[in-house]
Amino acid sequence: MREGNLEAPTRHPLDWKSESFYNEDALYEELERVFDLCHGCRRCVSLCQSFPTLFDLVDESPTFELDGVDKQDFWQVVDHCYLCDLCYMTKCPYTPPHEWNIDFPHLMLRAKAVKHRNGQTKTRDKLITSTDALGKMASIPVVVNAVNAVNKNASTRKILAKTLGIHKDAKVPEYHSKTTRRQHKELIGGVSTEVTPGETTTGKVALFTTCYGNYNEPRAADDLIKVLQHNGLAVSLLDKEQCCGMPKLELGDLEAVERAKDANIPEMLKMVENGWDIVAPVPSCVLMFKQELPLMFPGDDAVQRVRDAIFDPFEYLMLRHKEKLMNTDFKHALGKVMIHSACHQRVQNMGPKTRQLLSLVPDTEVTTVDRCSGHDGTYALKEEFHEASVKICRPVANKVKQGEVDYYGSDCPMAGKHIENVMDSGVATVHPISMLRIAYGI
């Protein structure tokens, strides 16, 4: 038996449609096997609250071993996992192809799916993961101001905490009536523009705006469009799109993920077949199409083709730079910049593209914070988890404060807002793509 894994980790397809996937006895047996191995290793203790919770359960048990832990308490570990994937990609020495075959995030996903199938999902969690429905309602012009006012009012936030379980101090995303798809409706369906293709890029970018980029951060999405166009790229929006499915995946609602896949993949594939690459401004959404959907639907050729055609914005621009097709005529220095490396960007295994690209800007010094922010999209909003999310984020916020930087931000806009909230310094986060637009002077 090998001490640790000396090979790159590999992932098995997710057998989520088989009945054995939902067998509770088999689930508990696998949870016990993996938890016992984790207890004997403990390398992941600093990543998130799942592992300290597990180790505390063991250490406080009568036997000081996993056999002394009530199996019902295993769900505490499951509930703290928000599928960031960092344990799998950066810490665990026993991932496949190692014979112990540990895939902690996908085991947690299986447990969440069992919990969801058993009808144990809270109404609050169903609501806050229904991002399309929330976005469409909250962005109605006559509604949006009221929604944002309620979310910022201390009194109503206390009511939300008591009735819905949304922590009163959590930063709730702001909504906008001028959504990205409304502001740029002329781009829907493809715009004919002469472009220069590269070896690995077509020069034609179809933007999957994402729920957050459409309803909550239209400015960052607009900045991305302007930066892409400034680089001589044709930019279009899909004819239609809906949530990528990541919030429902983290909930364990895999049937909802499939419905989202059935809505999005045909639209994306249509653009790919017409010679367009796809870019999305939120790392979790890119990861959904690069990793999670291909593992859930390994036999779906359309899913695999979209996987090979979707890119992170900075990944795409650095490919253009490698092909000597990127505009490097920067007008403004950025000074000292600190970038939080988003978990779902790190696990795409593409390298620190954001840091590499921003470092091209003259008189700009870029450093990164390679720790989880603890936000997850919904975890930091919840009454029972918000304090844990702040604890996870605190080292990131402290490093930004100590850096005395001119700009800070995260490729994950939700993480950026969470860091800003935890810092509470009055200095706003700036999305890296917005920093790039500032550097270009456009």
Side-chain angles (χ1 to χ4, degrees), residues 27 101 139 247 285 328 333 346 398:
L27 171 63
N101 193 35
S139 65
C285 306
T328 56
R346 290 176 67 188
N398 287 342

Side-chain angles (χ1 to χ4, degrees), residues 235-267:
V235 181
S236 71
L237 304 183
L238 304 180
D239 281 342
K240 51 187 176 180
E241 65 174 78
Q242 67 178 57
C243 176
C244 69
M246 182 62 83
K248 295 298 184 184
L249 182 85
E250 294 172 349
L251 194 66
D253 186 355
L254 303 185
E255 287 78 12
V257 174
E258 183 172 32
R259 292 193 294 273
K261 183 268 295 185
D262 290 342
N264 287 319
I265 291 295
E267 295 297 323

Side-chain angles (χ1 to χ4, degrees), residues 260-306:
K261 183 268 295 185
D262 290 342
N264 287 319
I265 291 295
E267 295 297 323
M268 300 170 91
L269 183 61
K270 180 171 65 177
M271 298 301 287
V272 172
E273 290 178 335
N274 286 327
W276 293 79
D277 299 321
I278 301 171
V279 167
V282 178
S284 296
C285 306
V286 177
L287 184 69
M288 193 69 191
F289 292 105
K290 275 189 177 183
Q291 174 178 285
E292 301 300 348
L293 289 179
L295 289 171
M296 286 182 66
F297 305 96
D300 190 324
D301 181 65
V303 170
Q304 311 307 316
R305 291 183 65 187
V306 169

Side-chain angles (χ1 to χ4, degrees), residues 44 89 98 138 170-171 190 219 269 276 283 285 313 428 437:
C44 294
M89 297 302 296
H98 190 275
K171 186 90 170 180
R219 178 175 179 178
L269 183 61
W276 293 79
C285 306
R437 183 176 182 179

Side-chain angles (χ1 to χ4, degrees), residues 103-311:
D103 187 338
F104 192 93
H106 276 180
L107 177 58
M108 297 300 98
L109 175 59
R110 179 184 177 187
K112 291 173 188 289
V114 169
K115 185 176 182 179
H116 182 77
R117 177 173 277 200
N118 289 343
Q120 297 171 301
T121 303
K122 294 181 179 180
T123 300
R124 172 203 62 191
D125 298 343
K126 292 178 182 178
L127 176 64
I128 63 178
T129 57
S130 299
T131 51
D132 281 314
L134 284 175
K136 287 176 182 176
M137 179 196 73
S139 65
I140 296 173
V142 295
V143 174
V144 66
N145 290 335
V147 170
N148 290 332
V150 165
N151 286 338
K152 293 176 181 178
N153 183 277
S155 299
T156 54
R157 287 302 301 272
K158 288 179 182 178
I159 296 172
L160 276 178
K162 289 182 179 179
T163 59
L164 198 57
I166 301 297
H167 196 282
K168 63 182 180 62
D169 296 326
K171 186 90 170 180
V172 177
E174 188 172 344
Y175 288 91
H176 298 266
S177 59
K178 294 182 179 179
T179 66
T180 298
R181 290 182 63 83
R182 287 172 185 160
Q183 288 185 61
H184 296 282
K185 58 186 178 181
E186 76 282 357
L187 300 179
I188 294 175
V191 177
S192 179
T193 305
E194 187 174 338
V195 297
T196 303
E199 292 182 12
T200 56
T201 59
T202 65
K204 298 166 61 178
V205 173
L207 184 64
F208 183 80
T209 61
T210 75
C211 305
Y212 202 85
N214 188 35
Y215 298 113
N216 306 112
E217 285 284 346
R219 178 175 179 178
D222 179 68
D223 289 343
L224 176 56
I225 290 170
K226 296 296 191 297
V227 165
L228 293 173
Q229 291 174 334
H230 189 64
N231 274 273
L233 301 166
V235 181
S236 71
L237 304 183
L238 304 180
D239 281 342
K240 51 187 176 180
E241 65 174 78
Q242 67 178 57
C243 176
C244 69
M246 182 62 83
K248 295 298 184 184
L249 182 85
E250 294 172 349
L251 194 66
D253 186 355
L254 303 185
E255 287 78 12
V257 174
E258 183 172 32
R259 292 193 294 273
K261 183 268 295 185
D262 290 342
N264 287 319
I265 291 295
E267 295 297 323
M268 300 170 91
L269 183 61
K270 180 171 65 177
M271 298 301 287
V272 172
E273 290 178 335
N274 286 327
W276 293 79
D277 299 321
I278 301 171
V279 167
V282 178
S284 296
C285 306
V286 177
L287 184 69
M288 193 69 191
F289 292 105
K290 275 189 177 183
Q291 174 178 285
E292 301 300 348
L293 289 179
L295 289 171
M296 286 182 66
F297 305 96
D300 190 324
D301 181 65
V303 170
Q304 311 307 316
R305 291 183 65 187
V306 169
R307 174 200 64 194
D308 296 337
I310 191 165
F311 301 88

